[in-house]
Structure formats: structure tokens, C-alpha cells
């Protein structure tokens, strides 16, 4: 891996901004911390001036962007954070009866009247996660003071997290950075703002499980829902090269052909496939599309115009992914988890 990463790094050294793009994946995002620490140890001088994250990847990106030390120090701190986290640091259990009562109330609600303030807005309470993030991001007011410091001293150009606007269905990328212009597309927008813990919570708010987060006048949830082009924010922000870390294992043809279940598919299997389609599949598709565009720009012409049209150089080695399925890793820690025990059991390749 070291040799391949070095080959991918050398052509872009000193030629502009490198972006680190972190996908979602829940607890599997701990894999990203390990990859980042390896890169920091092997290439301590590599600077990622653009950081972009979605869902759980936004939490990792926030820790890196907010750390005021060196890249290796920030990477080590990220690993230690993952080692320290416990389930009670993320969610607070909610009684089954309260969940059922809320679901029934929402089923009868026609949307004309706002729900009472004490209404349960998710299957779990995210107050512990808010407190955990404030503690590890070293903020009492929710503002990411380290981000502003790094922007001022020039070690960071932009930090971006993506959310989904539940009112419009748009993918909204919130950016704090230097010399950044907003962008507008029918289904996605880029908005410059001062990022806070609330933006991170919104990006990681898994639908139905975590409550939506209010930002301004609208409610936002997990950014992976509507983000069809996960690498687009880094490109908009001017990245010359991208390191994208996926949390999804790429199966072999033999593994892909093997059935996950025998007989009628259980609900958890179907739910797992839906979650993969929403939160993970688009990441691989976008990376593949950008690789094709780069190859076309490289082979079609050697003119500067063609190279400009090709956009940032995404070498195949710069898309990193796990070497085994999440289920094989998690199986050594837990055999089974139920919904009301704050876990979702899915297919054996991706969601166990």
C-alpha cells in the first residue's frame, strides 16, 4: 500500500490542493481513522488542505479540520477518539413504548400542525453524541474554533460537510473556508457558513433513527440520502487531487454471486440493501465516473484545454477501501444486535 500511495502522491506534489473525502458508514468509519493514521505515519508532510465528509465521515473530517497540531498528531487523536467511544457516548436508549406511541402519533399527523416540543423525533436520543462531539472538538458553544485557526494560518483551505434538506430534498454542502464561492444546482447547493457541531450532527442524522437537526429555518438529516456525487464538493472547492476513503468492501465476482440468504429475504436483508444503495453505492459510482473522465481527458488530447476539462486527478490508488467485509470484523465483537438495542442487523457482507 505504501508504494502505491507514494506513486499516486508524487505527480501531484506541490501542484495544488489535495482533498480528503470521507464517506459515511456508521461505526465502520473507524476504518478511515486507521487509514489516515497510516498515511500520516508514512507521509507526515502530506497536507490535505480541503477536507470533506458526509454522515459519519463528517465526524472524522471535523476532528481533522479542527485539530491545531500536525497532521500525524491529528490522525493519532482521531484514532484515540474511536478507541474511547462507547455506545452510551453516541445514543441514549428510548423506551419501546415511547417509540411506538410516537410512531402512532406521526401516522395520524397530517403535517398541518407542528409536533409538540417533547415529541420523540427519532428512535434514539442524540444528546450524548452532541455532548461527545463538543468534548472531543473542545468547544462549549458548538463553534469549531480550530477550523477558524487553521484557515487563518493557511494550513486549511476549506472544510465541508454535506446534509439533506428534508423540506426541498436538496443536498446542501456547508463550507467554511477561504475564498469560497457558493454553488447552485437544481438538486445540490454549496453554502459558505461558520460550521458548528449542529452541522456535523445533521450530516450524521440517519433517517428515523436520529432526529433531524434544525439549521436556520429548515430541518436537515444525513447527507448521504441525496448526495449522488460525493466527490463533487471537493471538486467545487478546487481540489487538484483527491484521496477518497470508502468504508465499503469491494467484493470479488465469486463473492458477489454467492447468495447472502437462503429462502425468502428477511426484512433486515432488504433494509441493508437499501442502506447500501443510499449511502455507499453512489460513492463508488462517482469515483468510477471521475476516473473515466480523467482517462478521457488524458487520452483525447494533450492540450491544456483538455487537461483542464479533465478536472482533478483521481488515480485508482487514491480510492481506498477495506480489505474485508464489515461483518467479519464485527462478528468478533457481537453475534447479534436488535433494533431496540440500538443496532441494525443487515446482510452478512455489508451491514452486520
Amino acid at each position: 500500500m505504501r508504494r502505491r500511495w507514494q506513486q499516486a502522491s508524487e505527480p501531484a506534489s506541490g501542484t495544488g490542493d489535495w482533498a480528503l473525502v470521507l464517506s459515511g458508514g456508521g461505526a465502520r468509519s473507524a476504518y478511515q481513522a486507521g487509514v489516515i493514521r497510516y498515511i500520516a505515519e508514512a507521509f507526515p508532510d502530506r497536507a490535505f488542505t480541503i477536507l470533506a465528509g458526509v454522515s459519519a465521515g463528517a465526524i472524522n473530517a471535523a476532528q481533522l479540520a479542527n485539530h491545531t497540531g500536525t497532521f500525524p498528531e491529528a490522525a493519532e487523536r482521531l484514532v484515540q477518539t474511536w478507541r474511547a467511544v462507547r455506545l452510551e457516548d453516541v445514543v441514549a436508549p428510548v423506551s419501546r413504548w415511547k417509540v411506538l406511541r410516537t410512531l402512532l402519533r406521526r401516522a395520524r399527523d397530517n403535517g398541518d400542525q407542528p409536533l409538540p416540543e417533547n415529541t420523540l423525533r427519532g428512535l434514539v436520543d442524540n444528546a450524548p453524541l452532541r455532548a461527545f462531539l463538543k468534548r472531543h472538538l473542545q468547544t462549549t458553544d458548538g463553534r469549531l474554533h480550530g477550523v477558524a485557526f487553521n484557515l487563518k494560518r493557511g494550513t486549511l483551505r476549506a472544510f465541508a460537510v454535506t446534509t439533506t434538506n428534508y423540506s426541498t430534498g436538496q443536498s446542501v454542502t456547508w463550507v467554511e473556508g477561504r475564498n469560497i464561492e457558493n454553488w447552485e444546482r437544481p438538486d445540490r447547493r454549496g453554502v459558505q457558513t461558520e460550521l458548528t457541531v449542529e452541522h456535523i450532527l445533521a450530516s450524521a442524522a440517519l433517517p428515523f433513527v436520529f432526529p433531524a437537526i434544525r439549521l436556520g429555518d429548515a430541518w436537515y438529516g444525513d447527507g448521504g440520502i441525496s448526495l449522488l456525487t460525493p466527490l463533487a464538493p471537493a471538486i467545487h472547492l478546487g481540489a487538484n487531487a483527491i484521496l477518497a476513503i470508502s468504508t465499503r468492501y469491494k467484493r470479488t465476482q465469486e463473492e458477489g454471486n454467492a447468495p447472502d440468504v437462503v429462502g425468502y429475504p428477511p426484512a433486515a436483508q432488504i433494509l441493508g440493501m437499501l442502506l447500501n444503495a443510499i449511502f455507499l453505492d453512489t460513492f463508488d459510482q462517482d469515483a468510477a465516473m471521475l476516473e473515466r473522465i480523467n482517462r478521457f481527458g488524458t487520452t483525447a488530447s494533450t492540450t491544456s484545454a483538455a487537461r483542464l476539462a479533465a478536472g482533478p486527478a483521481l488515480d485508482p490508488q487514491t480510492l481506498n477501501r477495506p480489505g474485508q467485509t464489515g461483518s467479519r470484523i464485527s462478528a468478533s465483537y457481537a453475534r447479534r444486535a436488535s433494533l431496540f438495542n440500538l443496532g441494525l442487523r443487515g446482510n452478512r457482507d455489508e451491514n452486520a
Side-chain angles (χ1 to χ4, degrees):
M1 178 179 175
R2 180 188 178 97
R3 181 172 57 84
R4 289 180 8 192
W5 166 246
Q6 191 170 19
Q7 291 173 349
S9 301
E10 286 174 353
S13 297
T15 60
D17 291 295
W18 269 76
L20 180 62
V21 179
L22 304 178
S23 72
R28 282 175 289 177
S29 294
Y31 165 79
Q32 295 173 341
V35 173
I36 292 168
R37 183 172 69 171
Y38 167 80
I39 294 172
E41 291 175 347
F43 306 95
D45 296 329
R46 165 54 60 200
F48 292 98
T49 53
I50 297 174
L51 296 171
V54 59
S55 194
I59 296 177
N60 287 342
Q63 298 226 38
L64 296 174
N66 195 61
H67 196 280
T68 56
T70 64
F71 177 43
E73 290 171 345
E76 183 60 31
R77 176 66 183 273
L78 180 60
V79 170
Q80 295 306 319
T81 298
W82 273 102
R83 285 179 171 173
V85 69
R86 298 293 181 268
L87 182 60
E88 55 269 23
D89 293 322
V90 180
V91 295
V94 176
S95 74
R96 303 182 187 187
W97 298 116
K98 188 173 183 180
V99 171
L100 181 59
R101 185 169 61 249
T102 299
L103 292 176
L104 292 175
R105 177 182 294 176
R106 289 195 166 189
R108 295 193 301 266
D109 178 52
N110 58 14
D112 294 336
Q113 299 295 328
L115 292 172
E117 286 297 323
N118 62 348
T119 300
L120 182 65
R121 299 181 185 273
L123 295 180
V124 297
D125 182 1
N126 67 348
L129 180 58
R130 178 180 283 107
F132 180 84
L133 289 177
K134 285 186 175 182
R135 185 166 67 253
H136 284 268
L137 293 173
Q138 299 178 329
T139 177
T140 56
D141 59 5
R143 299 164 60 192
L144 306 182
H145 301 280
V147 172
F149 178 82
N150 290 330
L151 288 171
K152 184 176 182 180
R153 68 174 178 173
T155 56
L156 183 67
R157 182 165 181 260
F159 168 44
V161 298
T162 300
T163 62
T164 297
N165 185 320
Y166 281 142
S167 299
T168 65
Q170 286 182 319
S171 174
V172 180
T173 298
W174 306 90
V175 183
E176 186 170 354
R178 295 181 284 113
N179 303 320
I180 302 300
E181 294 184 2
N182 295 345
W183 64 85
E184 293 274 353
R185 300 291 186 274
D187 298 321
R188 51 189 170 92
R189 302 170 53 222
V191 181
Q192 186 165 10
T193 189
E194 180 182 23
L195 289 172
T196 67
V197 168
E198 296 305 299
H199 292 89
I200 310 303
L201 285 171
S203 183
L206 186 67
F208 300 112
V209 178
F210 289 104
I213 302 297
R214 186 164 190 164
L215 301 174
D217 296 329
W219 293 90
Y220 293 82
D222 198 300
I225 300 174
S226 57
L227 184 59
L228 300 180
T229 52
L231 302 179
I235 298 173
H236 277 294
L237 295 172
N240 296 89
I242 298 173
L243 170 63
I245 304 180
S246 171
T247 58
R248 184 167 190 178
Y249 167 71
K250 187 175 183 179
R251 298 185 294 179
T252 64
Q253 186 64 51
E254 182 180 358
E255 291 171 328
N257 292 337
D260 291 327
V261 296
V262 178
Y264 192 82
Q269 169 75 9
I270 300 173
L271 177 60
M273 294 180 64
L274 287 174
L275 291 176
N276 281 339
I278 295 172
F279 298 110
L280 297 179
D281 289 352
T282 56
F283 197 86
D284 290 346
Q285 293 164 6
D286 197 27
M289 176 62 73
L290 188 53
E291 287 185 44
R292 288 195 292 270
I293 293 174
N294 284 340
R295 286 199 299 269
F296 175 78
T298 300
T299 58
S301 174
T302 57
T303 64
S304 58
R307 288 196 299 270
L308 180 62
L314 179 65
D315 192 274
Q317 286 87 353
T318 62
L319 176 61
N320 190 282
R321 64 176 71 252
Q324 59 179 313
T325 65
S327 61
R328 293 175 182 172
I329 299 173
S330 62
S332 60
Y333 294 94
R335 290 184 176 275
R336 193 174 188 88
S338 68
L339 178 61
F340 287 106
N341 283 333
L342 312 180
L344 291 174
R345 184 173 177 83
N347 67 65
R348 59 181 170 86
D349 276 321
E350 292 293 338
N351 298 287

